Amino acid sequence: MIIDWLELAPALLFLLVPIGLVRGPKIRHRPIVRDWGGHWAAILSLGLHWIDLGRAILGAWWLADAIPLDPAAVGFVRYSVPAVRGAVLLVAVVLQVVVCFERQAFYAPFMFVSGMLLGFYPPLIAGFAVLLALTIAAGLRLPTTYFPLLCVSLVVIGYFFEERPALVSLAVGGGVTLLPWLLPVMFRRAPVLAYRARRLVRPVPGP
């Protein structure tokens, strides 16, 4: 297994820093429920989400390039690369989910997970998977179903477009995308998403 440490170091930095550590006076968190269409403008106007998308794309791309697959590898070496890559992605997603300052809540990293797939897998496969999962989740009006739908879409689309040796990597990535949906269910936490408040609420001065 060949590792390019000059690319792996920034990949780990971009992927492992939890977005939940970033706080601001206008950043609020909203529980993810069925009817939240009226809040999309406030959510998408928060630059933090677009930073999350960009750093996930770059981090995942550097990770894939730093630990490349070897189609000629056999035995343990053949599966060691997907295992190491998968371990990094798993830790990264877990950190994005569980590091949240809201009580009894986990963060739902929609942008991070989407960017991670777009940077890690071929654009055709990742792009179609993201678009399909987003379309179905929006039609069902169940935002949190985006993550299991993304898992299924990635594996199914990748099965038809990728070669056999890459299917292990697809299965690993698909499993990781389930975590933002699975962890809140397992630990009974509410999934939340940050949005930009229209105005800063200041405390009322006492008498």
Side-chain angles (χ1 to χ4, degrees), residues 148-165:
L149 287 169
L150 189 58
C151 170
V152 175
S153 300
L154 177 70
V155 174
V156 171
I157 294 174
Y159 178 82
F160 290 102
F161 287 95
E162 280 283 62
E163 297 178 356
R164 292 284 177 173

Side-chain angles (χ1 to χ4, degrees), residues 52-68:
D52 214 20
L53 177 68
R55 60 114 177 190
I57 292 175
L58 286 174
W61 181 71
W62 277 327
L63 175 65
D65 208 42
I67 312 176

Side-chain angles (χ1 to χ4, degrees), residues 27-110:
I27 296 179
R28 302 287 185 271
H29 290 87
R30 172 178 169 79
I32 299 175
V33 294
R34 290 179 62 94
D35 188 13
W36 63 325
H39 296 268
W40 274 112
I43 290 169
L44 295 179
S45 66
L46 182 61
L48 196 62
H49 292 307
W50 300 106
I51 294 174
D52 214 20
L53 177 68
R55 60 114 177 190
I57 292 175
L58 286 174
W61 181 71
W62 277 327
L63 175 65
D65 208 42
I67 312 176
L69 289 170
D70 183 4
V74 295
F76 173 78
V77 178
R78 180 179 181 180
Y79 297 100
S80 62
V81 171
V84 172
R85 288 170 154 191
V88 173
L89 296 179
L90 184 146
V91 173
V93 173
V94 169
L95 288 174
Q96 308 309 314
V97 173
V98 302
V99 178
C100 180
F101 287 103
E102 292 294 304
R103 296 186 61 184
Q104 299 298 314
F106 278 163
Y107 192 76
F110 286 95

Side-chain angles (χ1 to χ4, degrees), residues 116-142:
M116 184 184 73
L117 296 190
L118 291 171
F120 195 76
Y121 295 104
L124 179 65
I125 295 174
F128 271 116
V130 169
L131 182 61
L132 180 61
L134 183 62
T135 302
I136 298 176
L140 295 174
R141 301 181 67 185
L142 293 171

